[in-house]
Amino acid sequence: MGTLEFNGQHYPDGRASDPGELGWMRGAPPPEDKRIAFESGNYRDFPQIRWSFSHMRELMPTLNVWRGRGAPSQFERSDMSAEIDALTFADMGGRIRRFEDALFDTYADGVVVLHRGRIVYERYFGALQPHLPHECQSCTKSYTGTLAAVLLHEGVLDESRLISHYLPELRGTAWEDATLRQVMDMQTGLAFREDYVDESSDIWAYRRAFGRLPRPSGYDGPRNSCDYLRTVRKQGMHGEFAYQSLNTQVLAWVMMRATGRSFVQLLQERLWAPLGCEEDGYVEVDPAGMPTAEGGLSATLRDFARFGEMMRCQGEWHGKQIVPESVVRDVQQGGRPAKLESGYSYRSQWWVSHNELSSFEARGIHGQRLYVAPKAEMVVALFASHPIADGAGDSITMPQLLALGRVLSA
Amino acid sequence: MGTLEFNGQHYPDGRASDPGELGWMRGAPPPEDKRIAFESGNYRDFPQIRWSFSHMRELMPTLNVWRGRGAPSQFERSDMSAEIDALTFADMGGRIRRFEDALFDTYADGVVVLHRGRIVYERYFGALQPHLPHECQSCTKSYTGTLAAVLLHEGVLDESRLISHYLPELRGTAWEDATLRQVMDMQTGLAFREDYVDESSDIWAYRRAFGRLPRPSGYDGPRNSCDYLRTVRKQGMHGEFAYQSLNTQVLAWVMMRATGRSFVQLLQERLWAPLGCEEDGYVEVDPAGMPTAEGGLSATLRDFARFGEMMRCQGEWHGKQIVPESVVRDVQQGGRPAKLESGYSYRSQWWVSHNELSSFEARGIHGQRLYVAPKAEMVVALFASHPIADGAGDSITMPQLLALGRVLSA
């Protein structure tokens, strides 16, 4: 048990912040000082997120992503736990760490490692259990982007079209003259500030409008996601990379308008059912019935891994082509510019590493990650509840997963 | 298409109020005048309930009732649709009706009829689909009562104990000197008025405290179910039948305290998993994490029918004793007094008819019903969204199910 320091503040580490040990939401009813609630807003505080990320549906309304009636698909297993736990690597600060210890130091809630499609490592920590869906945060975007790319491939959507073609109600907003491709690749100029640490930044206002954050009394802002999106104006030019979550929400809105299907139906029909997911997923929903598509999907760790494994196998899953091969290839080739400051590029809502493993990744705040590494024949599905939202644990997780990939590809 | 009259008001009938036809919650986003939302409170208006009873989780936070990992149990089928649809009977007003027409006139959302365990009839209307859980309303109570009776049988609970023995925090309330059995059989004297038509009655205040109804701005009442229950005082004597939903909430609270398990865990471990339910169920949850147990369970129609069939078979399900036979026998023998005004008696949260089919029933407002008729080897699971909450459609449904039972037992 110990503490860790981030930005000059001390936090209990992964072991010490275990929500079961701390008694969060235990008892009937839980003691007042151990309650996690939407109203009070404490569900997004640390260490409460160590519980709430596995219990989002208990805090807010949700849309079900039905798995369908088929039997769940099965994973073969070949256990490498001991070997992987003992693996050592140097983090970005040069400190040598054991794989297992690094999980506690990055507040992992669960990890599944697939090698050649087999589960070689599977661990759960804190409040997470194998059958419990966990908040994917912005990894949700990679689901949305993949579905959009499939619809492009099918000709249902046209990437060169302007958003206002699909959504006339966005005329006069930042998206009026943005193409669908610009939205998919986060290349829009929006007068919108997304800072998860600064509660005065626009993303917080958006989430209050959506209903994912409690509204102060007397609140008179927009009361659902579409009404909020209509208020966003252009700033600068389209065509340069700028990570803005609202683009993904617009993307899902376009998909729903063009197909006449809801986002959860698309997830179900295109991914959950064909992948043989084990459990239903769910998505947070706004007061007008619109789903979150930029965050807010909850899935079990294994179902998250299934999505990654299908992407690793060029869209194929257990002998069936679920996503066109060309869609996956296009993601893997990366976006433009070919290298952002981080060394990554961004394509269709995926982060593309251009590293020695050719990994591409779904990434979410607080440490969510789906790491698809074709050259290592590896997929890592990782859920976490790190106290720091942005880039949480990256200086550990990035070299950790690269080291694991090197071992598995050796 | 037509209208029906209740209490001097005209309502579109079952066909004319189909939420799909009316466009409720269709579109991305739905047009403003077709939205059903928690905030506005219109989710509990008619005809909106024809949609919302199949979509409660999209309106409020919920706890999952996990079905577990097993394959769903299967029903054999022998279709009697044509025969049953054409069945005629006289309603309580003496009017001759066809079975199928009566379903539309009582706003049925779905019906499953089991005869000797086989599905002989299965219909879905309006917003309900086979995989969608529907609000069970007070049929939830029969789940709660059955679980409590099982715990009595196992000696985990003692029916002669006072509630304050289990829940010391209810000292000073109406339940201080009520026995567990009195609570199970609705024999308490509470200063509490339960009138689903009169919004000034106490049940509305309770639901606002729970969070199942929107709270007016400036609301300063209790903010969760337990805090509300602590405010309820005794009125009159315990020992006489008085239907009060709060008793069921107290009963579930006792069960949770005594077992250290949550209500949803008990539902899962004792019923959902052993019955091989097809889909997860869910339960509405208050801001302190406490579940509804007096209403607020949503289950699929077939899973609802599974529960009834197990009760018909004296607690046995597919060769396994899930609920002790003596528990079911005790329910069937009925409560005291042996005959209430309606001719029914009430035992362990079930309505016992003492009719020629020896039927006993779970009953919920707006027409929910699980009708277990041992002498006809019949179970009818019925979900509805009748415009009138109390006794909705009883004058049709009661003779309808009796007539069906007579045919099946002939």
Side-chain angles (χ1 to χ4, degrees):
Chain A
M1 299 287 184
T3 59
L4 295 170
E5 191 181 330
F6 306 105
N7 309 334
Q9 279 210 283
H10 290 272
Y11 298 86
D13 69 14
R15 284 187 179 86
S17 60
D18 184 294
E21 301 289 326
L22 295 176
W24 289 106
M25 294 302 274
R26 292 276 168 106
E32 277 193 55
D33 62 346
K34 294 296 183 185
R35 289 182 196 164
I36 298 173
F38 180 79
E39 282 186 324
S40 69
N42 79 339
Y43 70 96
R44 52 180 189 72
D45 295 340
F46 187 87
Q48 290 91 327
I49 55 171
R50 303 228 57 208
W51 180 87
S52 46
F53 285 178
S54 301
H55 293 269
M56 295 306 287
R57 69 175 287 169
E58 301 171 25
L59 298 161
M60 48 190 87
T62 51
L63 290 159
N64 195 47
V65 180
W66 188 41
R67 58 169 301 281
R69 290 203 179 79
S73 58
Q74 298 298 314
F75 285 110
E76 290 186 69
R77 289 176 183 268
S78 85
D79 185 43
M80 297 178 63
S81 302
E83 196 177 337
I84 291 176
D85 274 338
L87 173 72
T88 57
F89 65 96
D91 69 21
M92 286 186 187
R95 180 169 155 195
I96 305 298
R97 295 175 181 269
R98 272 181 87 242
F99 188 93
E100 184 186 27
D101 296 336
L103 296 176
F104 286 104
D105 288 344
T106 52
Y107 300 87
D109 292 325
V111 196
V112 159
V113 179
L114 301 178
H115 184 229
R116 298 178 183 151
R118 288 163 180 261
I119 294 180
V120 295
Y121 188 84
E122 182 174 19
R123 296 284 297 271
Y124 296 88
F125 307 96
L128 191 61
Q129 296 178 54
H131 72 284
L132 282 186
H134 187 285
E135 167 71 78
C136 294
Q137 304 288 8
S138 291
C139 295
T140 310
K141 293 182 172 71
S142 306
Y143 282 89
T144 311
T146 303
L147 290 174
V150 171
L151 294 173
L152 285 183
H153 176 89
E154 294 174 355
V156 176
L157 297 177
D158 176 344
E159 66 177 15
S160 65
R161 286 278 194 180
L162 299 181
I163 295 300
S164 47
H165 166 76
Y166 294 107
L167 300 171
E169 54 266 75
L170 289 187
R171 280 185 203 133
T173 74
W175 292 283
E176 171 166 351
D177 61 345
T179 66
L180 188 63
R181 172 49 68 189
Q182 286 168 334
V183 163
M184 283 179 73
D185 290 352
M186 298 283 187
Q187 302 194 345
T188 56
L190 309 186
F192 184 84
R193 203 159 57 83
E194 185 158 350
D195 182 340
Y196 290 94
V197 178
D198 177 3
E199 298 197 16
S200 72
S201 92
D202 299 308
I203 189 73
W204 295 73
Y206 170 68
R207 292 194 166 181
R208 277 190 287 273
F210 191 98
R212 293 176 72 190
L213 282 177
R215 296 170 183 162
S217 74
Y219 175 83
D220 65 352
R223 305 191 78 84
N224 58 67
S225 58
C226 296
D227 283 359
Y228 186 93
L229 293 172
R230 282 197 198 97
T231 70
V232 179
R233 299 288 167 260
K234 189 171 176 179
Q235 184 176 288
M237 298 290 289
H238 300 323
E240 291 200 10
F241 178 78
Y243 186 87
Q244 299 277 27
S245 289
L246 295 194
N247 282 323
T248 320
Q249 195 63 20
V250 168
L251 182 58
W253 190 2
V254 167
M255 288 157 58
M256 290 169 69
R257 182 66 58 82
T259 62
R261 321 282 299 153
S262 79
F263 180 58
V264 291
Q265 283 175 312
L266 293 170
L267 282 169
Q268 173 200 320
E269 295 161 357
R270 304 298 190 122
L271 295 172
W272 246 256
L275 286 171
C277 283
E278 284 179 38
E279 299 292 340
D280 294 351
Y282 60 83
V283 165
E284 293 152 27
V285 59
D286 83 2
M290 291 291 280
T292 42
E294 49 87 18
L297 170 68
S298 287
T300 68
L301 187 59
R302 288 188 205 133
D303 289 338
F304 193 41
R306 282 178 169 90
F307 177 50
E309 177 65 7
M310 177 275 291
M311 292 297 285
R312 182 187 76 83
C313 297
Q314 304 288 304
E316 196 184 304
W317 175 258
H318 291 196
K320 244 172 45 192
Q321 198 73 32
I322 289 176
V323 165
E325 196 179 339
S326 62
V327 164
V328 182
R329 208 180 315 118
D330 180 73
V331 167
Q332 286 182 274
Q333 280 164 2
R336 275 158 301 160
K339 240 185 182 105
L340 301 166
E341 214 178 319
S342 61
Y344 281 72
S345 71
Y346 194 84
R347 182 69 173 174
S348 299
Q349 312 276 310
W350 288 88
W351 294 95
V352 184
S353 76
H354 308 284
N355 70 6
E356 65 189 78
L357 306 177
S358 292
S359 75
F360 54 104
E361 306 167 22
R363 295 167 71 168
I365 53 171
H366 298 284
Q368 323 316 320
R369 192 165 308 229
L370 186 60
Y371 189 90
V372 181
K375 290 208 177 140
E377 299 171 281
M378 175 181 86
V379 169
V380 182
L382 174 59
F383 286 142
S385 41
H386 197 290
I388 309 299
D390 265 337
D394 272 1
S395 65
I396 298 175
T397 303
M398 285 169 64
Q400 181 185 22
L401 300 187
L402 189 60
L404 178 60
R406 283 177 181 149
V407 168
L408 292 180
S409 57
Chain B
M1 300 287 183
T3 59
L4 294 171
E5 191 181 330
F6 306 105
N7 309 334
Q9 279 211 283
H10 290 272
Y11 298 86
D13 68 15
R15 284 185 178 88
S17 60
D18 184 293
E21 301 288 324
L22 294 177
W24 290 105
M25 294 302 274
R26 292 276 168 104
E32 278 194 54
D33 63 345
K34 294 296 183 185
R35 290 183 195 163
I36 298 173
F38 180 78
E39 284 186 322
S40 68
N42 79 339
Y43 70 95
R44 52 179 190 74
D45 294 341
F46 186 87
Q48 289 91 326
I49 55 171
R50 302 228 58 208
W51 180 87
S52 47
F53 284 178
S54 301
H55 294 269
M56 295 307 285
R57 69 174 287 168
E58 301 171 25
L59 298 162
M60 49 189 88
T62 51
L63 290 159
N64 196 46
V65 180
W66 189 40
R67 58 170 299 284
R69 290 204 179 79
S73 58
Q74 299 298 314
F75 285 110
E76 291 186 68
R77 287 175 183 269
S78 88
D79 185 42
M80 296 177 64
S81 301
E83 197 177 335
I84 291 176
D85 275 338
L87 174 71
T88 56
F89 65 96
D91 70 21
M92 286 186 187
R95 180 169 153 193
I96 304 299
R97 294 175 181 270
R98 271 182 88 241
F99 187 94
E100 184 186 27
D101 296 335
L103 295 175
F104 287 104
D105 288 344
T106 52
Y107 300 87
D109 292 326
V111 195
V112 159
V113 179
L114 301 178
H115 184 229
R116 298 177 183 150
R118 289 162 179 261
I119 294 180
V120 296
Y121 189 85
E122 181 174 20
R123 295 285 298 271
Y124 296 88
F125 307 96
L128 190 62
Q129 296 178 54
H131 72 284
L132 282 186
H134 186 286
E135 166 70 79
C136 294
Q137 304 288 7
S138 291
C139 295
T140 309
K141 293 182 171 71
S142 307
Y143 282 89
T144 311
T146 303
L147 289 174
V150 171
L151 294 173
L152 286 183
H153 176 88
E154 293 173 357
V156 176
L157 296 177
D158 176 344
E159 65 177 17
S160 65
R161 287 278 195 179
L162 298 182
I163 296 300
S164 48
H165 166 77
Y166 294 106
L167 300 171
E169 54 266 75
L170 289 186
R171 280 185 204 133
T173 73
W175 292 283
E176 171 166 351
D177 61 345
T179 66
L180 187 63
R181 173 48 68 189
Q182 285 169 334
V183 163
M184 284 178 73
D185 289 353
M186 298 283 189
Q187 302 194 343
T188 56
L190 309 186
F192 183 85
R193 202 158 58 82
E194 185 159 349
D195 182 339
Y196 290 94
V197 178
D198 177 3
E199 297 197 15
S200 73
S201 93
D202 299 308
I203 189 71
W204 294 74
Y206 169 68
R207 292 194 165 181
R208 276 190 288 273
F210 191 97
R212 294 176 71 190
L213 283 178
R215 295 170 183 162
S217 75
Y219 175 83
D220 65 352
R223 304 191 78 85
N224 60 66
S225 59
C226 296
D227 283 359
Y228 186 94
L229 293 171
R230 282 197 198 97
T231 69
V232 178
R233 299 289 168 258
K234 189 171 177 179
Q235 184 178 289
M237 297 291 289
H238 300 323
E240 290 200 11
F241 179 77
Y243 186 88
Q244 298 278 26
S245 289
L246 295 193
N247 282 322
T248 320
Q249 196 62 22
V250 167
L251 182 58
W253 191 0
V254 167
M255 288 157 58
M256 290 169 69
R257 181 66 58 82
T259 61
R261 321 283 297 153
S262 79
F263 180 57
V264 290
Q265 283 175 312
L266 293 170
L267 282 169
Q268 173 199 319
E269 295 162 356
R270 305 298 191 124
L271 294 173
W272 246 256
L275 285 171
C277 283
E278 286 180 35
E279 299 291 340
D280 295 350
Y282 60 83
V283 165
E284 293 151 28
V285 58
D286 83 4
M290 292 290 280
T292 42
E294 49 88 17
L297 170 68
S298 286
T300 68
L301 187 59
R302 287 188 205 134
D303 289 339
F304 192 42
R306 283 178 169 89
F307 177 51
E309 178 64 7
M310 177 275 291
M311 292 297 286
R312 181 187 77 82
C313 297
Q314 304 288 304
E316 195 184 306
W317 175 258
H318 291 197
K320 244 173 44 193
Q321 198 72 31
I322 289 175
V323 164
E325 195 179 340
S326 63
V327 163
V328 183
R329 208 181 314 119
D330 180 72
V331 167
Q332 285 182 276
Q333 279 165 2
R336 276 158 299 158
K339 243 188 178 99
L340 301 167
E341 213 177 321
S342 61
Y344 280 72
S345 71
Y346 193 83
R347 182 71 173 173
S348 298
Q349 312 276 311
W350 287 89
W351 294 94
V352 184
S353 75
H354 308 285
N355 69 7
E356 65 188 80
L357 306 177
S358 292
S359 76
F360 54 105
E361 306 167 24
R363 295 167 71 167
I365 52 171
H366 298 286
Q368 322 316 320
R369 190 165 310 226
L370 186 59
Y371 189 91
V372 182
K375 291 210 176 138
E377 299 171 281
M378 175 182 87
V379 169
V380 181
L382 174 59
F383 286 142
S385 41
H386 197 290
I388 308 301
D390 267 337
D394 272 2
S395 65
I396 298 175
T397 303
M398 285 169 64
Q400 181 184 22
L401 300 187
L402 188 60
L404 178 60
R406 283 177 181 150
V407 167
L408 292 179
S409 56

